[in-house]
Amino acid sequence: MVTNETDDACCSADSERKSHHSDKMKGNLISRLNRIEGQIRGVKGMIERDTYCDDVLNQIAAIQSALNSVGKLLLEGHMKSCVVERIQAGESEVIDELLITVNKLMK
């Protein structure tokens, strides 16, 4: 489930755009990514051990789901902060940028 941790999440509109996630949000994202990294190492080990293909594929599906969850958290924060701020500043091109990003996430 997506939480409200993303309320202070995203980017500045200046030339060097950076996120400004809370420490709690960063910790959550890093923890999730560390878990995903471990899962990927696990899949590599499964392949090295000639594990049954269906078992490997199920682990890959779990990794994809976990990555999608990270992406959803980042997207929510981006929309609630960066996109809103930039629209309020009159930068409507952020909508086109967002649409391109959403299309990439949905592939």
Side-chain angles (χ1 to χ4, degrees):
M1 180 174 172
V2 179
T3 65
N4 289 333
E5 294 175 0
T6 57
D7 290 344
D8 60 342
C10 217
C11 318
S12 63
D14 62 14
S15 61
E16 185 182 355
R17 297 185 305 177
K18 291 186 175 186
S19 63
H20 46 96
H21 302 290
S22 69
D23 288 342
K24 183 177 180 182
M25 179 61 157
K26 267 192 210 179
N28 182 3
L29 292 170
I30 289 169
S31 175
R32 288 169 181 258
L33 291 169
N34 285 339
R35 202 171 313 123
I36 292 165
E37 185 178 21
Q39 288 177 296
I40 291 170
R41 281 192 304 271
V43 166
K44 181 181 174 190
M46 292 173 80
I47 290 172
E48 290 170 344
R49 294 185 307 276
D50 295 321
T51 302
Y52 185 60
C53 296
D54 191 59
D55 295 336
V56 176
L57 291 167
N58 282 317
Q59 286 302 309
I60 290 171
I63 293 166
Q64 288 172 328
S65 177
L67 274 173
N68 285 339
S69 292
V70 170
K72 287 175 188 175
L73 281 173
L74 286 168
L75 181 61
E76 179 185 0
H78 182 59
M79 291 176 71
K80 286 183 173 181
S81 61
C82 299
V83 174
V84 169
E85 290 169 11
R86 290 182 63 195
I87 288 172
Q88 288 172 342
E91 299 177 42
S92 61
E93 65 274 4
V94 72
I95 295 171
D96 292 328
E97 177 186 282
L98 178 63
L99 289 172
I100 291 167
T101 300
V102 168
N103 281 327
K104 287 177 185 177
L105 286 171
M106 294 178 72
K107 282 187 178 182

